[in-house]
C-alpha cells in the first residue's frame, strides 16, 4: 500500500516561512509528477505547484516568486518551501503524486492527508 505523509504545517506570522514535506512510502516502482494543492475555507481546491520527474516546475500566479517546489527522488520526498507568507495563503495543503507500484501497468493518483497552514498575526 502506497502512502503519502505530509508534515511541516503550522501557524506563522505574515512575512514568515514554512517548509512542507511529503514523503511517499510503500512498494513504489516510480513516481512521475508531484504536486501541491491547497484548499481555503469556502474555496475550491487549487493547484499550487507542480514538478515533473525531470524537474520542470509550474506555479500558480498567486504564489510564483514566493514558493518553491522541489523533490528528492532518492528519498521519494517532495517539498514546498513557502516564503513571504500572506494571510491569503491560509489553507489546508495537500500533496498529490502519480505513483506506479510494482506490478502496475500504469501509475495511480495518490493524495496525502493534508496539513494546515495558518498565516496570521
Amino acid at each position: 500500500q502506497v502512502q503519502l505523509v505530509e508534515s511541516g504545517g503550522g501557524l506563522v506570522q505574515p512575512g514568515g516561512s514554512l517548509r512542507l514535506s511529503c514523503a511517499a512510502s510503500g512498494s513504489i516502482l516510480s513516481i512521475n509528477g508531484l504536486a501541491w494543492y491547497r484548499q481555503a475555507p469556502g474555496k475550491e481546491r487549487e493547484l499550487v505547484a507542480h514538478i515533473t520527474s525531470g524537474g520542470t516546475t509550474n506555479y500558480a500566479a498567486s504564489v510564483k516568486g514566493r514558493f518553491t517546489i522541489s523533490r528528492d527522488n532518492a528519498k521519494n520526498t517532495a517539498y514546498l518551501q513557502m516564503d513571504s507568507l500572506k494571510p491569503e495563503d491560509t489553507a489546508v495543503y495537500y500533496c498529490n503524486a502519480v505513483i506506479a507500484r510494482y506490478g502496475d501497468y500504469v501509475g495511480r493518483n495518490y493524495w496525502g492527508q493534508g496539513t494546515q497552514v495558518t498565516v496570521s498575526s
Side-chain angles (χ1 to χ4, degrees), residues 40-44:
K43 304 190 79 69
E44 299 293 318

PDB file of all heavy atoms in Angstrom, residues 40-44:
ATOM      1  N   ALA A  40      -8.668  26.585   0.761  1.00  0.00           N
ATOM      2  CA  ALA A  40      -9.015  27.536   1.799  1.00  0.00           C
ATOM      3  C   ALA A  40     -10.496  27.421   2.123  1.00  0.00           C
ATOM      4  O   ALA A  40     -11.287  26.937   1.298  1.00  0.00           O
ATOM      5  CB  ALA A  40      -8.683  28.956   1.347  1.00  0.00           C
ATOM      6  N   PRO A  41     -10.901  27.860   3.312  1.00  0.00           N
ATOM      7  CA  PRO A  41     -12.321  27.790   3.673  1.00  0.00           C
ATOM      8  C   PRO A  41     -13.209  28.483   2.653  1.00  0.00           C
ATOM      9  O   PRO A  41     -12.955  29.622   2.264  1.00  0.00           O
ATOM     10  CB  PRO A  41     -12.371  28.505   5.020  1.00  0.00           C
ATOM     11  CG  PRO A  41     -11.003  28.334   5.589  1.00  0.00           C
ATOM     12  CD  PRO A  41     -10.083  28.403   4.407  1.00  0.00           C
ATOM     13  N   GLY A  42     -14.233  27.779   2.198  1.00  0.00           N
ATOM     14  CA  GLY A  42     -15.175  28.341   1.255  1.00  0.00           C
ATOM     15  C   GLY A  42     -14.698  28.428  -0.176  1.00  0.00           C
ATOM     16  O   GLY A  42     -15.400  29.003  -1.012  1.00  0.00           O
ATOM     17  N   LYS A  43     -13.540  27.862  -0.470  1.00  0.00           N
ATOM     18  CA  LYS A  43     -12.994  27.936  -1.812  1.00  0.00           C
ATOM     19  C   LYS A  43     -12.711  26.543  -2.368  1.00  0.00           C
ATOM     20  O   LYS A  43     -12.637  25.561  -1.625  1.00  0.00           O
ATOM     21  CB  LYS A  43     -11.705  28.765  -1.832  1.00  0.00           C
ATOM     22  CG  LYS A  43     -11.872  30.175  -1.276  1.00  0.00           C
ATOM     23  CD  LYS A  43     -10.649  31.027  -1.529  1.00  0.00           C
ATOM     24  CE  LYS A  43     -10.640  31.531  -2.957  1.00  0.00           C
ATOM     25  NZ  LYS A  43     -11.717  32.518  -3.208  1.00  0.00           N
ATOM     26  N   GLU A  44     -12.567  26.466  -3.683  1.00  0.00           N
ATOM     27  CA  GLU A  44     -12.246  25.215  -4.338  1.00  0.00           C
ATOM     28  C   GLU A  44     -10.779  24.866  -4.122  1.00  0.00           C
ATOM     29  O   GLU A  44      -9.936  25.742  -3.925  1.00  0.00           O
ATOM     30  CB  GLU A  44     -12.541  25.306  -5.835  1.00  0.00           C
ATOM     31  CG  GLU A  44     -13.997  25.573  -6.182  1.00  0.00           C
ATOM     32  CD  GLU A  44     -14.885  24.418  -5.812  1.00  0.00           C
ATOM     33  OE1 GLU A  44     -14.480  23.258  -6.042  1.00  0.00           O
ATOM     34  OE2 GLU A  44     -15.981  24.661  -5.290  1.00  0.00           O
TER      35      GLU A  44
END
